[in-house]
Amino acid sequence: MSDEVFHPAVEDLPLSKVLAALADPARLAMVRAVAATDGVSCTRLGQDAGLELSKSTMSHHQRILRESGITRTRVQGSHRILRLRREELDARFPGLLDAVLAAPAEPVPVRAARRERVNAH
Amino acid sequence: MSDEVFHPAVEDLPLSKVLAALADPARLAMVRAVAATDGVSCTRLGQDAGLELSKSTMSHHQRILRESGITRTRVQGSHRILRLRREELDARFPGLLDAVLAAPAEPVPVRAARRERVNAH
C-alpha cells in the first residue's frame, strides 16, 4: 500500500506554489535534510533537520511539501517515508533546487515554530 | 533625492524571505519584466508585466519586492524606478534568479489579484 496519498503531477506545478512551500525556514531545513538521504521517515527527518517541532507541525510541513510537488511520501506500515522529487523538479525548474540547497542555511525561529504549531491544530 | 526608501543589506537576506516575495504569480511577472530592463517605472512595469492591478496593489507588490531585497527603488521626481538587484542576489544566492527567470511563466489569477487588492488597503 504505497503512494496512497496525493501527489501533484510535476508538469502541473506552478513555480509560485513551489516557492511558497520553500519559503519557510523549517521546511527549508526539512528539504535540506531530505536531500541528504535516499528516503527518510518523517520522525527521523525532524531529528536530522534539527527541528524541535510537534508531530502535528511536522505533519503539516510534510503535507505542504508533498502537495507542492517537492517531496514524495511513501506509506510503509506505520511510517511515512519522504523523498525529494529531485529529477522531476530539476526537469521542470532547472537549477532551482541546486540554488536553494546551496544557499546559506538560516535558523528556524522558535516563535514561528510555535505559531505554526497553533495554526496546524 | 534618490534611494530614500529602505533597502535591506543583501548579506542579511534570509532565503525564506526572498522565496516568500517570489511566491506570487503577480510578483513573479513583475520580476520577469524588471529583469528585462535596466530600470523601469512602477507604472510602466504593470503594463510590461501585463498586469491589470490597481495602483495600490502594484505599490504593495513593489514594496514586498524591495523589502525582500529583490528590487531597488530609486525615487525620481514623482516616479519610482525599479531595478533588479541582480548582482547582489547572484552573489548571495547563486543560480536562484536564473532558475526563477528560466521557469515557465504562469498566469496571474484574477481572483488572487482581487484578494491582494483588498489586503493592500
Side-chain angles (χ1 to χ4, degrees), chain A residues 14-17 19-25 28 32 92-104 106, chain B residues 14-17 19-25 28 32 92-104 106:
Chain A
L15 177 62
S16 61
K17 185 161 187 171
L19 295 177
L22 293 170
D24 176 278
L28 278 175
R32 284 180 209 283
R92 174 88 174 140
F93 305 115
L96 182 65
L97 269 183
D98 284 337
V100 164
L101 294 171
E106 62 189 274
Chain B
L15 177 62
S16 61
K17 186 162 186 170
L19 295 177
L22 294 170
D24 176 278
L28 278 175
R32 284 179 209 284
R92 174 85 175 144
F93 306 116
L96 182 65
L97 268 183
D98 284 337
V100 165
L101 293 172
E106 61 190 272

Side-chain angles (χ1 to χ4, degrees), chain A residues 27-78:
Chain A
R27 289 195 292 273
L28 278 175
M30 288 171 72
V31 167
R32 284 180 209 283
V34 175
T37 72
D38 239 6
V40 60
S41 74
C42 203
T43 317
R44 175 66 192 270
L45 180 58
Q47 297 164 3
D48 287 1
L51 296 171
E52 293 184 17
L53 302 176
S54 68
K55 200 175 162 184
S56 66
T57 301
M58 281 301 290
S59 168
H60 163 75
H61 286 317
Q62 182 266 120
R63 183 172 54 77
I64 289 178
L65 290 175
R66 173 172 54 76
E67 291 182 349
S68 65
I70 296 170
T71 52
R72 188 169 289 282
T73 299
R74 193 160 39 90
V75 180
Q76 215 171 45
S78 62

Side-chain angles (χ1 to χ4, degrees), chain B residues 80-121:
Chain B
R80 297 193 154 217
I81 309 296
L82 271 67
R83 185 185 289 227
L84 207 58
R85 293 177 66 178
R86 183 83 199 218
E87 285 181 25
E88 295 167 282
L89 284 165
D90 284 350
R92 174 85 175 144
F93 306 116
L96 182 65
L97 268 183
D98 284 337
V100 165
L101 293 172
E106 61 190 272
V108 179
V110 176
R111 271 185 309 171
R114 281 198 190 126
R115 199 166 52 238
E116 284 273 10
R117 192 147 58 226
V118 170
N119 290 341
H121 283 296

Side-chain angles (χ1 to χ4, degrees), chain B residues 52-85:
Chain B
E52 292 183 17
L53 302 175
S54 69
K55 200 173 163 185
S56 66
T57 302
M58 281 301 291
S59 169
H60 163 75
H61 286 317
Q62 182 268 119
R63 183 172 54 76
I64 289 179
L65 291 174
R66 173 172 55 75
E67 292 182 350
S68 65
I70 296 169
T71 52
R72 189 170 288 282
T73 300
R74 194 160 40 89
V75 180
Q76 216 172 44
S78 62
H79 291 287
R80 297 193 154 217
I81 309 296
L82 271 67
R83 185 185 289 227
L84 207 58
R85 293 177 66 178

